Amino acid sequence: MVNFIFVLENDIRQLYNDKLYKPIKGYAYGMDNNTVIHAFVKKPITPPSGNIINVTFHLCDINEFRNNESLYDGEIKLVFAIDEDGYLKHTAYSRQAGEANSFEIKFIPEQSELYSRSKGLLETSVLKNKTVGIVGIGSGGSPIAIELAKAGVGRFVLIDFDRLELSNVARHVCGINDLGRYKTFAVRDYILQKNPYAEVSTYEIDVNEHREICSDALSKVDLIIAASDNDKSRFFLNDLALKYNTPAIFGRAITRAIGGDVLRVRPRLGPCYNCLYSQDLRNTEEEISQKERQAKKFLPDYTSEESLNAVVQVGLASDIAPITNFMVKLALVELSRGTNSGISSLEEDLVADFYIWANRREYVYEDWSKLEYNFNKPSILRWYGAKVMKDPDCMSCGI
Amino acid sequence: MAWTYEQQVRLQKEFDILSQYFPNLNLVKVGTNDCIEGYMYTNDRSLYKIRLYIPTDMPYSVPEVVITYPNPVKDFYGKDLNSYGASATMHLLGSKDGYPKICTYKAERWNSNVTFYKVLIKVRLWLEALEGHIRTGQQMDYFLQHQI
């Protein structure tokens, strides 16, 4: 039987830096009949599932390393030493019911190594130091956060006041085990699963009610992702993007996710959210609002139940995914702009600031031609870039 | 209420526009609220006093607008408009500070480009519709469409 213990490389590096030559009680979690163990020097923010196991980290000199026999039953001991040639020697022992076992230690490398396969395609060393602020950690914001973490983005600011409810689970990154948790905390844990070295700040606030806190939180980010589900917050985030001269990406799905659109705001270089959405465009489409409670905030007191229900209809995760995926692509292009990365050519393709997507030929897309073999007419399941100009009378960017 | 720098810039712009088109309206303090208040005449020279509450999160919310004169504002039947509460047919959103609050913009149709000037133009239309109602007994819906 092969037994593995996974250890964070940085944990051991820290032991050496701190010269901690004494046994240290760690934290370990055993899975698959304890044949796979994840061990940590410090208690992880996101502990893996599994049985809690007694573990000791022991940094020692090479002689002690070779004569290690002191173990009590049920304990796992991880021993590290530097040999005469300067190489790290490591081994792990356990004793279960008097019987000794050995484990193979596998190191979880540093952040730069975690994303080594993206090298050449993405400038992972650049992304590691970028901060992305995501407002709205729901069915749109949560997959964007995870995809950016997978791409190597190293810092996140997550803002959402909401908790995960049963009705969210079908579309959200998080699952049943996260029910009742703040979406920010739950998604932070998923980010750390992808990148344990990521720095994640969370704010459990409603941006419409705590604008100053939100403004401070986003003042130093490199990119704003506006994934909230109401226009009031997006007009505010647009103004923040303009104030801090920070690019922002806005995305939304409309009525039961039959389609959606994405707007990139590059302050002063193109149209802002207000230039576009203060026009009639917004009035032709009903946006998905996930919760009756949230919808009620934005509808007049005399709104009928029927109208309210129409507003709270949501879509399939697979219909929202193309929109969030495109937002991720735009985000990576913005974060990598000017770094000569493998995706630089996309800067020449993605020149439009506004993009439209349709999932089904319904409602506003009813007249679109069938996909079939057509490629010269608007049809579903394709992105279309639209040329949108700045509004010279815009009260946000033209003032 | 302390306005942020961005809000102060916006307020200046709003007042520049209002001074041109609604010079009778002034900035007043009502309790802790900054408001725009003043008189408006309808086409048949009826006089109304209106008050627009400047939202603390301006420009992200629809300003609340009430009719403060005459008090009470009466309908065709002589009934106080406050007694309607929120009414779609009368374009009313209940009461504020004891005055009837009128519907100008739907919140989900609100955007940062809407100035107080545009809201006040809607208030003028609302007053004309009220006059039509008082003159004919038709509900205000007859004269005033709902925002789509």
Side-chain angles (χ1 to χ4, degrees):
Chain A
M1 190 193 297
V2 181
N3 298 322
F4 296 112
I5 295 188
F6 287 85
V7 175
L8 289 173
E9 191 179 314
N10 269 18
D11 272 4
I12 308 308
R13 201 179 298 279
Q14 196 62 46
L15 288 181
Y16 272 97
N17 288 344
D18 297 344
K19 297 187 170 45
L20 290 172
Y21 286 94
K22 60 178 182 182
I24 292 171
K25 282 273 180 203
Y27 300 84
Y29 306 85
M31 290 159 279
D32 299 352
N33 284 333
N34 292 350
T35 56
V36 175
I37 292 169
H38 288 221
F40 306 85
V41 172
K42 291 177 195 157
K43 191 172 185 183
I45 294 172
T46 317
S49 58
N51 310 313
I52 293 174
I53 287 174
N54 290 322
V55 65
T56 308
F57 287 83
H58 193 181
L59 182 64
C60 57
D61 70 46
I62 195 68
N63 295 322
E64 199 180 342
F65 177 81
R66 285 170 182 148
N67 296 310
N68 195 291
E69 285 177 352
S70 58
L71 265 179
Y72 62 82
D73 213 49
E75 186 195 25
I76 294 175
K77 195 165 198 172
L78 288 84
V79 190
F80 304 90
I82 303 283
D83 71 8
E84 295 83 352
D85 300 320
Y87 289 107
L88 176 68
K89 305 286 283 184
H90 51 81
T91 189
Y93 305 103
S94 79
R95 195 180 295 279
Q96 297 284 342
E99 198 173 316
N101 289 311
S102 66
F103 288 80
E104 183 181 339
I105 295 179
K106 286 182 172 287
F107 289 102
I108 300 170
E110 288 186 282
Q111 184 171 357
S112 59
E113 293 304 311
L114 271 176
Y115 301 100
S116 57
R117 290 192 179 191
S118 301
K119 275 179 184 164
L121 198 56
L122 291 167
E123 280 300 315
T124 49
S125 59
V126 173
L127 293 179
K128 181 178 130 182
N129 295 316
K130 295 286 187 184
T131 308
V132 176
I134 306 178
V135 182
I137 312 297
S139 56
S142 65
I144 292 172
I146 303 304
E147 287 305 318
L148 291 177
K150 282 154 78 176
V153 172
R155 296 175 189 152
F156 293 87
V157 174
L158 307 181
I159 303 177
D160 199 316
F161 69 96
D162 218 356
R163 292 176 184 272
L164 195 78
E165 294 180 15
L166 199 58
S167 59
N168 302 136
V169 170
R171 286 170 304 281
H172 204 272
V173 161
C174 302
I176 296 288
N177 287 355
D178 296 305
L179 279 177
R181 298 185 69 195
Y182 278 114
K183 291 175 180 175
T184 48
F185 292 160
V187 169
R188 174 201 59 194
D189 291 353
Y190 279 76
I191 289 173
L192 294 174
Q193 290 277 305
K194 292 294 176 189
N195 178 0
Y197 305 106
E199 294 170 28
V200 187
S201 314
T202 67
Y203 296 83
E204 293 65 50
I205 55 163
D206 182 344
V207 292
N208 291 327
E209 288 167 17
H210 297 93
R211 285 177 300 131
E212 260 184 61
I213 298 172
C214 181
S215 177
D216 287 346
L218 296 176
S219 62
K220 290 188 175 65
V221 303
D222 297 291
L223 179 75
I224 296 171
I225 300 282
S228 54
D229 65 356
N230 63 82
D231 263 317
K232 186 174 180 176
S233 60
R234 285 187 293 238
F235 281 113
F236 170 60
L237 294 172
N238 177 62
D239 287 350
L240 281 190
L242 295 169
K243 178 181 176 182
Y244 296 128
N245 201 25
T246 303
I249 296 169
F250 296 80
R252 60 175 196 159
I254 58 168
T255 317
R256 294 168 62 227
I258 57 166
D261 46 52
V262 174
L263 173 72
R264 173 184 56 195
V265 173
R266 298 178 66 202
R268 322 291 169 204
L269 299 173
C272 76
Y273 187 81
N274 195 38
C275 289
L276 188 67
Y277 287 96
S278 59
Q279 309 299 321
D280 287 342
L281 172 81
R282 195 162 61 111
N283 300 354
T284 61
E285 298 154 357
E286 289 293 351
E287 184 185 352
I288 290 177
S289 187
Q290 290 197 4
K291 290 211 176 95
E292 197 174 301
R293 163 166 58 87
Q294 282 161 270
K296 273 181 175 164
K297 273 190 189 175
F298 297 98
L299 293 171
D301 293 342
Y302 50 74
T303 302
S304 68
E305 277 299 309
E306 197 181 327
S307 306
L308 187 63
N309 290 337
V311 175
V312 297
Q313 288 177 352
V314 293
L316 294 173
S318 58
D319 284 342
I320 297 168
I323 298 160
T324 56
N325 198 35
F326 195 75
M327 291 172 77
V328 170
K329 281 203 191 307
L330 280 175
L332 292 175
V333 167
E334 286 310 308
L335 292 169
S336 308
R337 194 177 281 280
T339 59
N340 199 22
S341 69
I343 61 166
S344 296
S345 68
L346 280 177
E347 289 177 32
E348 294 169 22
D349 293 281
L350 301 174
V351 291
D353 290 306
F354 183 57
Y355 296 89
I356 299 165
W357 172 269
N359 282 310
R360 299 187 294 281
R361 285 180 299 106
E362 292 173 19
Y363 194 36
V364 288
Y365 310 113
E366 196 175 21
D367 298 334
W368 286 29
S369 59
K370 290 178 184 168
L371 178 65
E372 295 177 331
Y373 304 105
N374 294 321
F375 54 84
N376 55 354
K377 285 181 181 171
S379 59
I380 60 166
L381 306 179
R382 289 189 188 129
W383 280 105
Y384 293 95
K387 194 165 191 173
V388 182
M389 308 304 284
K390 282 182 73 165
D391 174 4
D393 296 323
C394 175
M395 292 292 283
S396 288
C397 69
I399 200 165
Chain B
M1 160 74 204
W3 300 106
T4 64
Y5 170 75
E6 290 76 21
Q7 287 180 314
Q8 287 175 36
V9 171
R10 172 72 183 234
L11 275 174
Q12 187 56 55
K13 185 92 177 169
E14 297 278 2
F15 287 118
D16 287 348
I17 299 168
L18 290 182
S19 64
Q20 197 175 345
Y21 297 103
F22 288 104
N24 294 337
L25 301 181
N26 299 302
L27 180 65
V28 297
K29 199 91 176 167
V30 179
T32 56
N33 298 109
D34 285 317
C35 298
I36 294 167
E37 196 172 76
Y39 289 95
M40 280 183 175
Y41 281 101
T42 56
N43 288 345
D44 69 357
R45 304 301 292 164
S46 296
L47 184 65
Y48 292 89
K49 191 175 187 186
I50 64 101
R51 178 188 296 161
L52 179 152
Y53 294 82
I54 301 175
T56 54
D57 66 350
M58 178 201 64
Y60 307 114
S61 290
V62 185
E64 295 175 300
V65 181
V66 297
I67 312 295
T68 60
Y69 178 85
N71 186 18
V73 187
K74 290 181 178 170
D75 71 355
F76 173 77
Y77 306 100
K79 188 173 141 188
D80 183 348
L81 286 194
N82 277 320
S83 65
Y84 280 91
S87 162
T89 54
M90 293 299 278
H91 291 257
L92 285 169
L93 297 172
S95 305
K96 184 178 173 74
D97 293 341
Y99 302 111
K101 186 165 81 172
I102 70 173
C103 183
T104 55
Y105 271 85
K106 272 182 163 179
E108 79 263 31
R109 295 289 173 252
W110 181 259
N111 64 71
S112 302
N113 252 18
V114 184
T115 56
F116 293 153
Y117 164 75
K118 289 180 184 171
V119 175
L120 292 165
I121 286 291
K122 289 226 178 189
V123 174
R124 275 288 286 113
L125 288 169
W126 190 94
L127 291 174
E128 291 302 331
L130 177 67
E131 292 280 294
H133 159 74
I134 292 169
R135 205 167 45 243
T136 65
Q138 296 273 15
Q139 288 184 322
M140 284 182 65
D141 253 356
Y142 179 79
F143 303 99
L144 203 57
Q145 286 191 341
H146 285 278
Q147 196 167 29
I148 299 165

